[in-house]
């Protein structure tokens, strides 16, 4: 049989050994220091009295991953690692008179055991050979991290893209949790995928350290009535290669343990790293901070509750409720059921399930995913085997780390939901665009410009086709009226201010319409983009109105215009000819005949206004089209200016929001 030796001590370079009076048939391998965990073992050999020292394996987790020793870990026990059998025989035959082995290290010779409580067995060194034939103590570091599955990688990539797109729009505090999830997922991916880190957490007196020792098979974590008993996280590794994970948890080498010589008797637990945490309700702040820190880094959690404080509000409100989304990697263990009479344990367990349901944590029953809830007694061992079996199944599946990362992504997505999910269908509708351009057109006076252009065209037609006597009369009226010949004063300053206010109102209205229903950060980004774009917009619209509002150059004329002018000139000539004819008859130059010259004059007098009226009627259509064209050009120019300075920036912000909304959908969608 394999002899088991329990060793305990501190890294101080000294050991207390058994004296010569202990006899030649046995040797005590227990090292004790004041305040160290109480654990003893015995090493019983054959009649030769061999000890387990030379064949023992040092704690692999007390040195950095990679197989090299550390000054902090202490020097390894010296012995004959390559010829263990021969050395054991020589020691058996070479005992001195004091009962000490020949060749045993003297006290103070610089030899140190690895710190902590380690259960070792005396075996042949060939049994400790690694996969490549080397001793485990000389195991070389091999990168053992692996990529996540494709669905989880897709969610991480989407979350990374989401954070990148949102950095300029959201506050750093809002993205801090998502950034932490990305960092921790990347850090966990680089470490061992063959190991599963499980933390045991609980309140003061719940018995988590007792459960820790029960799972280890040896008393590793200190238990007792003094509170708090556990002051720092203690790790228990069933196999090598977990040093990187323990470094990530900031567990010092002196607090790293190995159960029963590596746990070779628990094949299902190979790859398990168990961490005993301080009390989450400890009166010492540093203990609670350590619990909060480690719980963010482990792959799974075992919550140990007792019949007295299983409904503690501090546990449910601070931990179980916020971690409700991590149900698949959560164990809730009702400990100390040996204190409950009859079916009281079942009643407490049912009430515990009810509380978990109120916390929003799904309970895995009937094959459904969720938290594992069971009752046990770490003191008597009842139910510990079932928990050990469940842990073994979790470790062998090797999916706890990925489940933890996926649950962290879910939690981050839930926190970010108010910042990405809109109430309705946000966007810039065609109606909002048209209303914005109409408001800008009103601000620049496009309608008034069109009407003015139409009047100018008609006045031009009237001047060209009207009777000269009527034009002369109109000129006389303008001259006769006081100030009629002076240039008209410019528009008062209030009109310009009113136009500016109309532009600002149009910008506010379209920004409100575009941001309606958006989450607050993106709605604010849309409004800011609109305000930034509106800077200088009133001035540019004024320039457009000045440039397009009063067209320069000669007004266009229809094809019939020359004929109308010619007819009007003929009518004027008829009037002049008739008048001269009549005057000639009066002075006796021409033969008398009143009727012909009168008829000629009447023809010119009546024909001139008729031609003018006909030209005015014919000019209405072209004048209206000319005014509409002038109004359209100014509207289009104002709309183009508003689109470039306001609508396009708003559309860019909405497009960015749609992109991040798609990325958020990819993050929150769990395949």
């Amino acid at each position: 049989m394999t002899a088991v030796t329990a060793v305990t001590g501190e890294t101080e370079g000294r050991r207390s050994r058994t004296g010569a009076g202990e006899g030649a048939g046995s040797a005590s391998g227990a090292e004790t220091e004041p305040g160290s965990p109480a654990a003893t073992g015995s090493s019983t050999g054959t009649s030769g009295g061999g000890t387990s020292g030379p064949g023992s394996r040092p704690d692999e987790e007390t040195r950095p991953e990679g197989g090299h020793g550390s000054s902090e870990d202490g020097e390894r026990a010296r012995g004959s690692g390559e010829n263990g059998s021969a050395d054991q025989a020589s020691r058996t035959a070479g005992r001195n008179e004091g009962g000490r082995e020949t060749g045993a290290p003297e006290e103070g010779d610089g030899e140190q055991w690895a710190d902590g409580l380690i259960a070792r067995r005396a075996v042949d060194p060939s049994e400790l050979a690694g996969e490549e034939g080397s001793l485990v103590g000389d195991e070389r570091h091999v990168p053992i991290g692996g990529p996540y599955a494709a669905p989880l990688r897709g969610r991480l990539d989407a979350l990374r893209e989401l954070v990148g797109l949102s950095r300029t729009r959201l506050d750093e505090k809002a993205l801090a949790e998502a950034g932490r999830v990305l960092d921790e997922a990347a850090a966990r991916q680089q470490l061992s995928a063959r190991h599963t880190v499980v933390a045991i957490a609980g309140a003061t007196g719940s018995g988590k350290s007792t459960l820790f020792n029960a799972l280890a098979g040896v008393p590793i974590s200190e238990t007792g009535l003094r509170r708090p008993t556990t002051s720092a996280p203690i790790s228990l590794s069933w196999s090598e290669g977990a040093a990187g994970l323990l470094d990530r948890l900031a567990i010092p080498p002196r607090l790293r343990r190995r159960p029963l010589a590596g746990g070779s008797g628990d094949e299902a637990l190979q790859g398990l790293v168990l961490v005993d945490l301080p009390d989450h309700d400890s009166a010492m702040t540093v203990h609670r901070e350590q619990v909060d820190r480690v719980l963010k880094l482990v792959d799974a959690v075992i919550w140990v509750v007792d019949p007295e404080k299983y409904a503690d509000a501090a546990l449910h409100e601070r931990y179980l409720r916020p971690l409700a989304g991590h149900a698949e990697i959560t164990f809730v263990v009702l400990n100390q059921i040996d204190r409950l009479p009859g079916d009281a344990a079942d009643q407490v367990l049912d009430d515990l399930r009810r509380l978990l349901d109120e916390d929003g944590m799904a309970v895995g029953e009937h094959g459904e995913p969720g938290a594992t809830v069971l009752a046990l007694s770490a003191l008597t061992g009842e139910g510990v085997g079932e928990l050990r079996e469940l842990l073994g199944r979790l470790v062998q599946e090797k999916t706890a780390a990925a489940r933890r990362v996926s649950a962290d992504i879910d939690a981050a997505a839930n926190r970010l939901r108010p910042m990405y999910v809109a109430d309705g269908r946000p966007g810039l509708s065609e109606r909002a665009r048209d209303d914005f351009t109409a408001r800008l057109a009103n601000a620049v006076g496009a309608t008034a410009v069109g009407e003015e252009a139409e009047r100018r065209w008609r006045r031009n037609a009237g001047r060209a086709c009207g009777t000269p006597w009527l034009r002369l009369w109109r000129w006389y009226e303008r001259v006769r009226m006081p100030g009629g010949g002076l240039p008209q004063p410019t528009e008062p300053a209030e009109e310009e201010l009113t136009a500016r206010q109309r532009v600002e109102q149009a910008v506010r209205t379209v920004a409100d319409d575009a941001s309606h229903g958006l989450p607050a950060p993106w709605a604010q980004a849309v409004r800011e983009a609109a305000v930034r774009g509106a800077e200088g917009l009133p001035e540019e619209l004024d320039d457009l109105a000045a440039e397009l509002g009063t067209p320069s150059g000669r007004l266009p004329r229809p094809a019939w215009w020359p004929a109308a002018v010619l007819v009007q000139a003929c009518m004027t000539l008829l009037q002049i000819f008739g008048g001269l004819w009549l005057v000639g008859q009066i002075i006796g130059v021409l033969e008398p005949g009143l009727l012909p010259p009168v008829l000629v004059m009447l023809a010119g007098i009546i024909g001139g206004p008729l031609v003018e009226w006909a030209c005015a009627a014919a000019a209405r259509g072209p004048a209206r089209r000319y005014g509409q064209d002038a109004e359209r050009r100014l509207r289009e120019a104002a709309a183009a200016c508003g689109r470039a300075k306001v609508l396009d920036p708003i559309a860019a912000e909405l497009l960015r929001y749609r992109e991040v909304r798609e990325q958020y959908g990819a993050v929150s969608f769990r395949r």
Side-chain angles (χ1 to χ4, degrees):
M1 294 180 61
T2 302
V4 178
T5 304
V7 183
T8 177
E10 302 289 340
T11 310
E12 298 178 358
R14 53 196 176 97
R15 296 183 302 165
S16 60
R17 296 183 176 84
T18 56
E22 291 182 355
S26 63
S28 173
E31 295 180 58
T32 59
E33 290 289 335
S36 63
T40 58
S42 62
S43 176
T44 307
T46 58
S47 59
T51 65
S52 61
S56 300
R57 180 172 61 185
D59 185 2
E60 293 297 329
E61 299 303 325
T62 61
R63 56 183 172 82
E65 185 175 354
H68 301 289
S70 172
S71 60
E72 182 182 357
D73 301 342
E75 300 178 2
R76 301 188 178 279
R78 296 188 178 90
S80 176
E82 299 179 356
N83 301 302
S85 300
D87 289 349
Q88 186 174 355
S90 63
R91 284 195 301 274
T92 303
R95 291 185 179 274
N96 57 15
E97 295 181 358
R100 182 173 55 82
E101 298 176 0
T102 303
E106 294 290 342
E107 187 171 349
D109 61 356
E111 178 187 5
Q112 296 180 353
W113 286 90
D115 293 342
L117 177 62
I118 309 170
R120 295 184 174 88
R121 58 178 183 172
V123 294
D124 190 83
S126 62
E127 298 182 12
L128 300 179
E131 296 179 357
E132 299 180 1
S134 61
L135 292 178
V136 177
D138 296 331
E139 180 184 12
R140 296 180 180 274
H141 171 70
V142 179
I144 48 183
Y148 295 120
L152 183 55
R153 287 202 310 271
R155 297 184 69 193
L156 288 171
D157 293 341
L159 181 59
R160 190 174 297 106
E161 184 71 16
L162 181 66
V163 172
L165 291 173
S166 305
R167 288 196 183 279
T168 59
R169 299 297 182 271
L170 302 184
D171 186 70
E172 288 294 334
K173 294 181 180 179
L175 299 174
E177 180 64 18
R180 187 196 68 82
V181 171
L182 290 173
D183 294 341
E184 297 301 341
R188 183 63 180 90
Q189 184 181 8
Q190 300 300 321
L191 300 175
S192 175
R194 297 183 291 108
H195 289 79
T196 301
V197 183
V198 181
I200 299 182
T204 303
S206 60
K208 54 184 178 56
S209 296
T210 305
L211 178 60
F212 184 81
N213 294 335
L215 294 173
V218 288
I220 292 179
S221 185
E222 183 181 358
T223 61
L225 298 178
R226 180 176 61 86
R227 300 290 181 240
T229 303
T230 304
S231 59
I234 301 175
S235 69
L236 183 66
S237 305
W238 265 260
S239 59
E240 294 84 359
L245 292 170
L246 298 178
D247 290 341
R248 180 170 175 249
L249 298 178
I251 298 178
R254 62 185 179 82
L255 297 178
R256 304 177 185 182
R257 309 288 190 260
R258 293 290 302 281
L260 296 176
S264 59
D266 297 317
E267 296 297 334
L269 298 182
Q270 293 297 310
L272 174 62
V273 179
L274 205 60
V275 180
D276 185 17
L277 298 179
D279 302 332
H280 71 78
D281 60 349
S282 174
M284 301 182 65
T285 305
V286 64
H287 291 177
R288 299 195 301 271
E289 292 177 349
Q290 291 186 58
V291 172
D292 296 342
R293 177 182 59 82
V294 175
L295 286 179
K296 296 178 180 179
L297 304 177
V298 296
D299 301 330
V301 183
I302 300 176
W303 289 100
V304 182
V305 299
D306 57 54
E308 295 177 354
K309 295 190 292 184
Y310 71 93
D312 186 14
L315 171 64
H316 290 269
E317 294 178 3
R318 186 176 180 184
Y319 294 103
L320 295 182
R321 192 168 300 167
L323 295 176
H326 297 68
E328 295 185 11
I329 55 169
T330 301
F331 296 81
V332 183
V333 174
L334 177 62
N335 192 18
Q336 303 176 7
I337 60 173
D338 55 302
R339 298 168 50 192
L340 299 176
D343 59 349
D346 294 336
Q347 297 177 3
V348 174
L349 205 61
D350 292 340
D351 193 45
L352 177 59
R353 291 192 179 95
R354 179 188 62 80
L355 293 175
L356 293 176
D357 184 67
E358 292 179 357
D359 293 334
M361 180 173 290
V363 178
E365 295 179 336
H366 310 295
E368 297 179 357
T372 301
V373 182
L374 68 157
L376 54 80
S377 174
L379 187 63
T380 64
E382 180 183 357
V384 176
E386 181 182 358
L387 177 60
R388 185 187 296 268
E389 180 181 352
L390 293 173
L391 287 176
R393 190 181 308 165
L394 179 69
V395 171
Q396 296 307 315
E397 289 176 354
K398 295 182 176 62
T399 59
R403 292 181 184 178
R404 172 60 193 259
V405 173
S406 182
D408 287 344
I409 295 176
D410 291 340
N414 289 334
R415 290 187 179 184
L416 293 175
R417 180 179 178 83
M419 303 177 186
Y420 294 105
V421 179
D423 298 333
R425 294 177 59 87
L428 199 58
S429 63
E430 290 297 328
R431 181 177 180 180
R433 292 175 180 270
D434 295 342
D435 182 67
F436 176 68
T437 56
R439 288 175 180 270
L440 291 185
N442 292 333
V444 297
T447 302
V449 168
E451 294 175 353
E452 177 62 24
E454 180 179 355
R455 286 193 296 268
R456 289 182 68 246
W457 206 98
R458 296 177 66 177
R459 283 197 303 268
N460 188 37
R463 285 194 299 267
C465 302
T467 63
W469 321 118
L470 182 60
R471 291 200 300 271
L472 184 61
W473 174 257
R474 290 173 180 171
W475 172 81
Y476 173 74
E477 289 291 334
R478 288 196 304 269
V479 173
R480 191 184 61 160
M481 292 179 60
L486 299 177
Q488 296 297 323
T490 58
E491 295 180 351
E494 289 77 12
E495 292 294 332
E496 184 178 355
L497 294 177
T498 302
R500 179 180 294 274
Q501 292 173 356
R502 288 178 179 177
V503 173
E504 294 175 353
Q505 183 181 6
V507 172
R508 287 195 300 268
T509 302
V510 72
D512 292 340
D513 291 341
S515 61
H516 178 70
L518 282 176
W522 300 99
Q524 182 65 23
V526 168
R527 295 190 186 97
E528 291 178 355
V531 171
R532 286 194 304 268
E535 295 178 357
L537 180 60
E539 290 76 7
E540 292 193 17
L541 293 177
D542 290 342
D543 295 339
L544 290 176
E547 179 182 354
L548 302 177
T550 55
S552 59
R554 189 174 182 181
L555 295 176
R557 295 180 177 182
W560 51 264
W561 198 307
V565 173
L566 180 60
V567 172
Q568 187 64 262
C570 292
M571 295 298 104
T572 303
L573 292 175
L574 286 177
Q575 295 177 36
I576 295 173
F577 178 76
L580 293 176
W581 190 358
L582 184 60
V583 170
Q585 289 182 355
I586 293 174
I587 63 177
V589 177
L590 298 176
E591 295 181 1
L594 186 60
L595 184 60
V598 172
L599 292 177
V600 171
M601 288 184 62
L602 288 176
I605 293 172
I606 296 174
L610 287 177
V611 171
E612 183 178 0
W613 176 82
C615 290
R620 289 194 184 97
R624 185 179 301 110
R625 289 192 295 271
Y626 180 76
Q628 291 174 349
D629 289 342
E631 180 181 355
R632 176 181 53 79
R633 286 193 301 269
L634 187 55
R635 283 181 177 273
E636 290 178 352
C641 184
R643 181 170 55 252
K645 295 185 70 67
V646 178
L647 295 183
D648 288 348
I650 290 178
E653 289 297 331
L654 293 175
L655 179 60
R656 181 185 291 269
Y657 169 73
R658 283 192 289 269
E659 291 178 358
V660 298
R661 183 65 180 85
E662 291 176 359
Q663 294 296 333
Y664 178 79
V667 170
S668 58
F669 178 68
R670 189 171 184 178
R671 299 175 179 84

